[in-house]
Amino acid sequence: MLARFKDLCLDAADPHTLGAFWGRMLDAEVVDLGDGDTRLDPRSARSNAESIWVNRVPEPRTGKTRVHLDLRLAGAEPAALLAAGARLLREPDGEVGWWVLADPEGNPFCAFRAREGARPGLFELVVDAADPAAQAAWWSGVVGGTVEYGSGNASVVGAAGFPWDHWVFNGVPEPKTVKNRLHWDVDLVDPEPMALIEAGATLLREPIDEAHWWWVLADPEGNEFCAFAPRPIG
């Protein structure tokens, strides 16, 4: 294991508006970070990894979103999500048993009907992939866990620090062309990410200063993620 899953980060044109929306979706406290950004801390969270940082970026959203969230509804319909500001993109049909919705900035997410014994809220992180099996195997090699194979997808289950049920890599035909609007962070085991780079990650940016003290990397299919060195104890 080379790292531990840390949290998620969501790009936004307006972090306060988008943060408020996702705060309603996830029953989370919206924390104003004082620099224009916000953070979502779910009230029922079992770990800090369930926090989502909503960060202002200058570029608008373009192209298909290749990373999205799956939510479990508390009931049989997403009426409460629509009333809170979600936009309906697609209803369930004979092949797809869930709703596809979009947040105020156009980022799609999926909503699944309530299921007995399943906790409502966020339960899956889904990433488009050209080779789902290879992507899941690579990430399980980085953060641990086991790989489960489905029809056209592969999932990492039980990764270190990962707080949800499944980390799904879903097969798609089109390649990645633009920066992801949603990415994840990891905490490194070592002080530097050399082992990650040797394993196949690409270095995109070194730490800049005390305010930007992490590395920006990309996985084998170009998905951006940030890697943080272990903090000194004491």
Side-chain angles (χ1 to χ4, degrees):
M1 194 178 81
L2 306 179
R4 182 181 180 86
F5 186 92
K6 183 177 184 291
D7 50 30
L8 293 175
C9 296
L10 177 61
D11 288 353
D14 184 342
H16 285 85
T17 298
L18 196 59
F21 170 83
W22 279 104
R24 294 190 293 272
M25 295 297 99
L26 302 176
D27 188 26
E29 178 185 359
V30 181
V31 180
D32 187 341
L33 300 178
D35 57 0
D37 295 344
T38 59
R39 189 184 70 238
L40 308 177
D41 294 335
R43 295 179 178 88
S44 58
R46 294 161 291 183
S47 73
N48 291 335
E50 292 188 59
S51 291
I52 300 176
W53 301 72
V54 187
N55 301 321
R56 186 183 303 276
V57 296
E59 68 275 4
R61 176 183 172 273
T62 58
K64 179 190 175 188
T65 298
R66 291 180 69 85
V67 184
H68 73 266
L69 305 176
D70 284 353
L71 276 59
R72 179 76 62 190
L73 298 171
E77 302 283 341
L81 278 62
L82 295 170
R87 179 165 52 92
L88 179 64
L89 299 181
R90 190 183 70 196
E91 298 213 31
D93 56 31
E95 296 182 1
V96 177
W98 56 86
W99 290 265
V100 181
L101 307 171
D103 70 18
E105 294 199 5
N107 301 301
F109 63 99
C110 297
F112 291 71
R113 289 185 176 90
R115 191 176 67 190
E116 186 176 354
R119 188 177 70 155
L122 175 56
F123 74 101
E124 288 184 337
L125 174 64
V126 183
V127 185
D128 286 355
D131 188 336
Q135 280 289 93
W138 192 84
W139 274 105
S140 69
V142 170
V143 294
T146 59
V147 178
E148 296 181 352
Y149 299 96
S151 177
N153 62 64
S155 303
V156 179
V157 179
F162 192 79
W164 304 296
D165 296 345
H166 297 92
W167 189 351
V168 181
F169 294 90
N170 190 48
V172 297
E174 69 277 357
K176 180 178 183 292
T177 58
V178 297
K179 176 191 173 193
N180 291 333
R181 299 289 283 187
L182 181 64
H183 74 266
W184 51 91
D185 297 337
V186 299
D187 283 321
L188 295 169
V189 172
D190 297 330
E192 295 189 350
M194 296 311 300
L196 262 176
I197 294 170
E198 290 172 0
T202 301
L203 177 64
L204 301 180
R205 196 198 72 194
E206 301 234 15
I208 299 173
D209 50 35
E210 291 186 0
H212 303 84
W213 51 277
W214 55 88
W215 291 266
V216 181
L217 304 168
D219 71 13
E221 289 201 5
N223 297 299
E224 304 86 359
F225 66 98
C226 296
F228 291 75
R231 284 287 199 176
I233 299 175

